[in-house]
Amino acid sequence: MTSQQIFVGVGLIVVLAVGGQVLASRLRIPAIIVLLPLGFAAGAITDTVHPDQLLGDAFPPLVSLAVAVILYDAGLGLDLRRLSGDTRRVVHRLVWIGALLTAPIAAFAAAPLLGISAQAAAMLGTILVVSGPTVVGPVLNFVRPEERLQRILLWEGSLIDAVGGIAGALVFHALVNDRKHGLGHGILQFLGSVGIGLLGGAVGVGLLWWLLVRMRLGEILGTTVQLAAVIGIAAGCDAIRDDTGLIAAIVMGVAVATLPAFELTLRRPFFESLVSLTVGVLFISISATVTWASLRPVLLPALGLVAVLVLAARPLVAALSSFGTGLSPGERAFLGWMAPRGIVAASTAATFSAPLAAAGIGGASRILPATFLVIVATVTLYGLTAAPVARRLGVVRPARSRPLLVGGDPWVLELGRVLRSAGLDTLVWAGRTAERERIAAAGLEPAGSDLLDCASGEGAERESVTAVYLLTADDDFNALVSVLLQDDEGRTVHRLAPAEPLEHGAPPRPGAGLLFGAGLTGPALAERFHGGAAISARPAADQLPPGHDLLFTVRPGGRLTPATAGPTTHGTGAARDPGGGSGGGTQILLGPVPAVARLPETPGRGSPLDG
């Protein structure tokens, strides 16, 4: 291809990748539903959107490294400390039972349906074992199933990608080079691959610890170091044995998310943006290699294969994996109705189908188009039906607000307790170690150590945070974080009014307003609470009791509405309730300081990150 064609091809791939994700976000559907048809159409219409021609032999290795970066990012959301009991048991079973049952079921169905050889069917069956966080996550964020279910499915999707990728590589080599070796040899090869991946992951964790913890690299270098370490370790592992880099990437991500030494290591927005772009580019690139001529003969047979996977294989795997656990019948049934295929299936099929066809494996040329159709069909099916199925099974989390309170002062903890008593599942974040210990001692749930991660993006979606309330005594900190979070879609960000005007401070997010009434700044709230003013919940009423200030209103159904600065005729405060009127529910009030109370000195102010 000429340099001009390469420029046009690369530019179109990137534009389509981002444009497809923007369109999917507007339509509130998983991005893959838009990206795969876009890539397929671009490959059919143009002569330039053909990454296998643009990159040649470099295309499969680059796909593998890109998938490693995606899995590392997925691993950052998997904290081993939250995987215990029945949840851990079900995840382990879904991975191993899923791999051992799905592959042969898919292979036995694919051979007669698609008219391919047993060898090609074995390869296809192994490819279709995987699921993936890039497709499971968006569907779950839309459905909002119970937290245990969401955790199980995210863990399964991330772990089975690595297992399926390695199994696919082993089956490929067995078909091409090692046909004379038996089952024992294959098991040893698999264990060897796992060992290489684990060893590479351990080396990567040590490297990241040295660079991020000991050297204390800054924000920019800390992000790029993670990227370089993942790509370097994954490339080294893959050079030794195919797809072992996927295991190394998962190990590194989970370790950074779990080990206490990495608690101050932040996943920067740039890294999440890079992963989002990588996912889009991969889906566009891989689907562009599929042609209509290859799809037409396998269209109906592939739909039959989808029926086998959806109606037989997945329900059986879910039933066996959840047998004898504490999961409810509804949870077990929902597990059986959630197994979309994603990027690892597409990348594995794109990597191995052409070499197998060149090696003379009968029907190998149908592996990629069949995988493409299975991905499109399963993502569309589960994406459109998961929400009504979850509601029918009764496994949807109540549509209640889940506020994130940022601050560790005693009055903030008391506010968290009162909100919890009003029926809201409340998260609290603080930067100081002593404050985090007080949060746990108060019986509240502490948010993760990375504020930006748990208050925005995928982290906030994972924790189901609906709004962020910046309640620290440091006005500069509140203003800065409100700016960093103001572009995060799907949740509101509120902050306390500053005690003194900020000469260069950030204005509140449009429509959010400053919290509470006039004069209720951080120091004022702390002083009033220490002076004996109580935070209480009472049924909503039109008139506030004398001397009380309205802080929040909990609407029927659990929707939390903050009082924001503005004119009011109620009580003595100057806060208004944006919800308007009483409308039932519960009011969260700050009472007056008792007349006999002696006000202590206001605690000194400092940054919530000090100590």
Side-chain angles (χ1 to χ4, degrees), residues 31 158 390 406 428 450:
S158 298
V406 178
V428 184
D450 183 349

Side-chain angles (χ1 to χ4, degrees), residues 235-311:
C237 291
D238 285 344
I240 299 173
R241 186 165 295 176
D242 287 340
D243 284 346
T244 53
L246 302 184
I247 285 186
I250 283 286
V251 169
M252 293 168 66
V254 172
V256 171
T258 304
L259 297 179
F262 289 99
E263 282 189 356
L264 297 180
T265 300
L266 306 182
R267 176 175 52 174
R268 302 301 180 181
F270 166 75
F271 198 88
E272 294 184 357
S273 300
L274 175 66
V275 170
S276 176
L277 177 62
T278 301
V279 169
V281 168
L282 281 182
F283 278 130
I284 293 292
S285 300
I286 293 172
S287 57
T289 63
V290 180
T291 65
W292 173 246
S294 64
L295 281 181
R296 187 168 49 235
V298 300
L299 181 57
L300 292 179
L303 294 179
L305 178 59
V306 169
V308 172
L309 293 172
V310 170
L311 301 177

Side-chain angles (χ1 to χ4, degrees), residues 198-214:
L198 293 176
L199 179 60
V203 172
V205 171
L207 180 63
L208 287 176
W209 175 82
W210 182 66
L211 292 170
L212 299 176
V213 179
R214 292 297 299 273

Side-chain angles (χ1 to χ4, degrees), residues 187-200:
I187 293 176
L188 290 176
Q189 291 288 311
F190 179 80
L191 294 177
S193 296
V194 172
I196 293 171
L198 293 176
L199 179 60

